[in-house]
Amino acid sequence: MKTNFFKILAAGTLALLLSFTVIPKKTKLYIIGDSTAANKEEKAYPETGWGMALQSYFKADVTVDNRALNGRSTKSFRAEKRWDPILAELNPGDYVFIEFGHNDEKVDKPAVGVSLADFKINLVNYVKETRSKKAFPVLLTPISRRSFKNGVLMDSHGDYPRITRQVADSLNVPLIDMLVKTESLLNRLGEEPSIKLFNYVDSGNVNYPNGKKDNTHLSPEGAKQVAGLVVKGIKELKLNLVKSLK
């Protein structure tokens, strides 16, 4: 009888202790944006989005949920209802990293391209809606293309990065200036050495039989380095995410 009593007591004590155990809250870090960040299908390899490399920088208490998609802009991402499920899932304390610009520039494609004025409105809406769920928006300017001319890196994004910076300033949103960071990286490496960061593939590759010379999309090495620049930005901003970095 005594044995059974102590067994029941021990089980009850354990259950009581477990009821007070605090389960660490996981933070989700959503990425919304375009192909430079997006997850890639196997048939596109070695093309790699920087968002695919970001999880490796975090401990288990942060989950990177990469919703960026090829060809999307601030306009088409919403029009295709890609934003709605994210907004519905957002919990207080989550993060939304917002990086657009590559496709918003394509004003010759009405379903995708937007004017600077509409680009600003779209960014403001993403920020305000994220905050309405008590989550944290972070704005990112688009990454640089590898667009060298006579050895000089050229800007190919026009005023879209300026608008992103403007929205960040006016709404007091943390900003990671990826254009500046990637331009610095490309200039530091130089025109030829920077090829390794992009999706350059020799002919005969199973996914690119005729080869590929892509100065917009990243290689696995490029994705890792660009994700590292995002992490550098997180540290510079002193976001709460810093404590979850490895």
Side-chain angles (χ1 to χ4, degrees), residues 21-36:
T21 301
V22 177
I23 299 172
K25 179 187 177 297
K26 282 205 168 190
T27 299
K28 270 209 174 179
L29 191 169
Y30 293 90
I31 302 170
I32 64 172
D34 54 48
S35 57
T36 59

Side-chain angles (χ1 to χ4, degrees), residues 23-227:
I23 299 172
K25 179 187 177 297
K26 282 205 168 190
T27 299
K28 270 209 174 179
L29 191 169
Y30 293 90
I31 302 170
I32 64 172
D34 54 48
S35 57
T36 59
N39 292 334
K40 305 296 177 178
E41 295 181 27
E42 190 176 332
K43 65 182 180 181
Y45 186 83
E47 183 181 319
T48 309
W50 65 257
M52 298 171 70
L54 193 59
Q55 183 69 67
S56 64
Y57 287 91
F58 284 99
K59 300 172 188 173
D61 59 335
V62 168
T63 300
V64 175
D65 191 337
N66 187 11
R67 303 291 182 94
L69 286 166
N70 289 9
R72 271 50 175 208
S73 65
T74 55
K75 179 180 181 178
S76 61
F77 195 85
R78 183 184 292 273
E80 295 176 9
K81 307 297 183 185
R82 306 289 184 174
W83 173 239
D84 292 352
I86 299 171
L87 188 60
E89 294 168 13
L90 270 180
N91 288 312
D94 286 343
Y95 283 80
V96 181
F97 279 34
I98 305 162
E99 185 192 50
F100 288 102
H102 271 87
N103 299 303
D104 296 81
E105 306 162 10
K106 300 174 182 176
V107 291
D108 57 322
K109 297 180 178 180
V112 176
V114 294
S115 67
L116 291 171
D118 285 340
F119 182 63
K120 182 176 182 178
I121 291 168
N122 293 344
L123 289 180
V124 168
N125 287 336
Y126 283 122
V127 166
K128 289 185 173 179
E129 289 166 18
T130 298
R131 285 177 167 169
S132 75
K133 302 299 290 283
K134 296 184 173 11
F136 302 113
V138 178
L139 287 169
L140 291 78
T141 53
I143 68 170
S144 177
R145 296 182 176 95
R146 183 182 166 275
S147 51
F148 284 91
K149 185 175 181 181
N150 299 322
V152 178
L153 184 64
M154 309 300 292
D155 174 31
S156 64
H157 292 303
D159 281 331
Y160 290 85
R162 178 180 63 80
I163 295 297
T164 304
R165 297 179 191 117
Q166 191 179 92
V167 172
D169 183 60
S170 62
L171 296 182
N172 196 26
V173 183
L175 171 77
I176 302 177
D177 202 330
M178 293 303 295
L179 180 59
V180 169
K181 290 185 183 301
T182 50
E183 282 180 340
S184 177
L185 174 61
L186 294 179
N187 280 319
R188 189 166 65 250
L189 288 173
E191 184 170 2
E192 290 305 311
S194 63
I195 286 175
K196 69 180 181 181
L197 302 182
F198 290 84
N199 191 32
Y200 268 59
V201 186
D202 292 333
S203 59
N205 181 281
V206 63
N207 290 331
Y208 303 95
N210 298 319
K212 184 80 171 180
K213 291 183 179 180
D214 183 344
N215 292 305
T216 296
H217 301 102
L218 301 167
S219 65
E221 174 63 20
K224 182 179 178 181
Q225 290 206 37
V226 171

